[in-house]
Amino acid sequence: MTAAQMSRTVMRIAHEILEKNPGAERLAVVGIHTRGAYLGARVHRLLCELGGHEYPSGNLDISFYRDDVAARGAVGIIPRTPQPVVKDTDLPFDVEGTTVVLVDDVLYTGRTIRAAIEALFDYGRPARVQLAVLVDRGHRELPIRPDYVGKNLPTAPRERINVRLEECDDVDEVGLVQAGEGE
Amino acid sequence: MPKRDLISIEDLSREQVELLLDTAESFLPVLERDIKKVPTLRGRTIVNLFWEASTRTSSSFDLAAKRLSADTIALKASGSAVEKGETLKDTAITLSAYGPDIIVMRHPSAGACQVLSRNTEASVINAGDGKHQHPTQCLLDLFALRQTFGRDLDGMKVSIVGDILHSRVARSDIMGFKLLGMDVTLVGPPTLIPRGIEEMGVKIEYDLANLGDADVIYLLRIQKERIKEGANFLPSLREYNRLYGMSRARLRPGQRVMHPGPINRGVEIGPDIADDDENLIALQVFSGLAVRMAILYRTIVGYTDAGSEEVL
């Protein structure tokens, strides 16, 4: 997927969100860290332009809600250069009664989304939760289905979807990489 | 497989300390919302083993574990088998039968945590061992400093005042402050400053008048329980207060005061400082919760992210 295709895809998703939620004022866009947050900000910007309304938006970090918190000793020796991975969750609006559109880059097993829904509910009870993803690569392990899909990209489990965004990677593109190949 | 203990500040690199402080910061929004709990350590068991009196350390470790959804058992020396003469090794073996993931221990003897660690599969976190170390206090002090002065503590000047000799807090703080590039001066009567401590890269002053341009004055508690009457460390508490007691008049404008608690009013700290809003003592207590959540979290999860977003 090229930069131009990505920009058209995000625009289409924004249109679809407005179409599916006619007249909704309590509509919030929440991106899932890291790349989902950048995509969420893009969707939110377009939504405000198209809808002529300043919708609320926010970010969600799901680190504390993961279902694969390492077993004791599983990580082994402490690495020399640790990576700070936990980002701030920022939901500057009342989740209670709001329609929340979660945004992420790649939908795969569905576990991230499960964690995001659980995290979201600790901030309040949303009226409904919808899901927008740039790429759906299949291989779901949970009963989770996106409401808005940029592109369906059937993959083998050993393949990787590499989403790169200008905000953090200096370029907009989606690539398919075989495991063990380059970056 | 090596397990992750936190027994001394020396166990951590600068990067790991900074990661812990960043992690603690990310718990702050959790502590501000209505549901102040995350499911991260659901199903984990954390034992709090306190063989010495403690209010804030034991309560904040307990609450930190609960905020992370872990199950906790709290044991004190009084009322347990320790009173019946059980040794540390046997207590360790007994508790290990429950399969805890982490044992947090405070003990009156230096090195007790190493003994515990050798006799259990659980990760051991030192909550203060004799005069040796109190690493979690040091980390919360660093966190309180970052909340006050910003992320970069490099080049900041701190004077640690009081009983360095008996203080595990001082030993951990000196290491942690130096690790993050701070400039450390020790101030106190010669009887309470251990010989050779200059080797840790600190300056020594015997006169409180020489606080100079320190950004932070860190007061240590005069530990009445460790300084026995007639042991000749101090002529009297009143004289200590006259020579080393901190009061507003002895501070320069802008100098902030820290204290690990509990404070001895009228000994190392005057009421004018203890009661004003300028001191960082309440912030230190608050920091203890977020920092201990981060320590428990990193002890289980590791100091790097095990899986990428792709895996989820």
Side-chain angles (χ1 to χ4, degrees), chain B residues 279-297:
Chain B
N279 75 58
L280 306 181
I281 300 170
L283 177 63
Q284 287 173 276
V285 177
F286 170 77
S287 303
L289 182 55
V291 166
R292 289 180 174 121
M293 284 173 80
I295 292 164
L296 295 174
Y297 174 75

Side-chain angles (χ1 to χ4, degrees), chain B residues 76-241:
Chain B
K76 289 183 189 152
S78 60
S80 73
V82 176
E83 278 195 333
K84 299 174 188 166
E86 189 175 62
T87 64
L88 177 56
K89 180 176 174 177
D90 291 320
T91 305
I93 292 167
T94 305
L95 287 174
S96 298
Y98 301 130
D101 298 277
I102 297 176
I103 301 178
V104 177
M105 183 168 79
R106 166 165 296 183
H107 196 282
S109 305
C113 290
Q114 281 92 340
V115 174
L116 176 65
S117 183
R118 277 200 297 274
N119 290 289
T120 180
E121 294 274 295
S123 290
V124 174
I125 296 175
N126 183 359
D129 62 333
K131 293 185 274 181
H132 176 224
Q133 280 275 320
H134 193 353
T136 67
Q137 176 73 41
C138 167
L139 290 163
L140 75 87
D141 287 337
L142 288 169
F143 187 77
L145 284 168
R146 282 221 316 199
Q147 293 292 107
T148 308
F149 297 98
R151 293 174 62 87
D152 188 11
L153 303 178
D154 236 310
M156 267 191 61
K157 292 185 175 137
V158 57
S159 289
I160 303 179
V161 180
D163 179 3
I164 314 291
L165 183 66
H166 296 94
S167 175
R168 57 193 173 211
V169 174
R171 252 166 286 276
S172 288
D173 273 357
I174 292 168
M175 286 178 187
F177 292 171
K178 298 286 298 175
L179 192 62
L180 293 203
M182 294 169 67
D183 200 40
V184 182
T185 304
L186 308 179
V187 186
T191 49
L192 294 179
I193 294 189
R195 246 180 241 186
I197 195 142
E198 301 90 327
E199 285 165 25
M200 293 181 82
V202 294
K203 292 192 223 58
I204 293 177
E205 286 287 349
Y206 298 111
D207 188 346
L208 201 60
N210 297 335
L211 285 178
D213 56 352
D215 302 293
V216 175
I217 314 297
Y218 196 104
L219 303 178
L220 295 170
R221 185 168 67 90
I222 287 297
Q223 305 182 54
K224 293 171 188 163
E225 74 274 21
R226 292 193 215 276
I227 299 179
K228 290 195 180 68
E229 199 86 30
N232 291 331
F233 287 116
L234 293 173
S236 70
L237 292 178
R238 186 188 292 186
E239 183 180 303
Y240 181 83
N241 178 252

Side-chain angles (χ1 to χ4, degrees), chain A residues 33-35 62-73 75-80 82-89 106 108-112 118-119 121-123 137 159-161, chain B residues 1-2 4 13 15-16 19 22-23 25-27 29-30 33 35 37-42 44 99-101 121-123 297-298 300-312:
Chain A
H33 276 297
T34 305
R35 287 179 178 75
I62 56 116
S63 304
F64 301 137
Y65 291 84
R66 297 174 70 115
D67 61 5
D68 62 346
V69 172
R72 180 172 67 227
V75 180
I77 300 162
I78 299 170
R80 281 225 160 267
Q83 308 151 358
V85 283
V86 183
K87 284 120 193 148
D88 278 350
T89 289
V106 179
Y108 182 29
T109 61
R111 287 175 196 269
T112 300
E118 193 185 346
F121 273 69
D122 278 354
Y123 287 84
R137 62 167 293 193
E159 290 170 323
R160 279 195 50 193
I161 299 286
Chain B
M1 194 68 84
R4 249 174 250 109
S13 67
E15 288 74 23
Q16 286 167 349
L19 178 63
D22 289 342
T23 306
E25 211 170 317
S26 63
F27 280 117
V30 174
R33 63 193 202 189
I35 298 178
K37 203 174 171 80
V38 286
T40 321
L41 299 189
R42 196 169 41 197
R44 307 287 173 159
D101 298 277
E121 294 274 295
S123 290
Y297 174 75
R298 287 289 164 201
I300 299 276
V301 174
Y303 284 76
T304 187
D305 197 18
S308 68
E309 282 164 333
E310 259 319 286
V311 176
L312 271 187

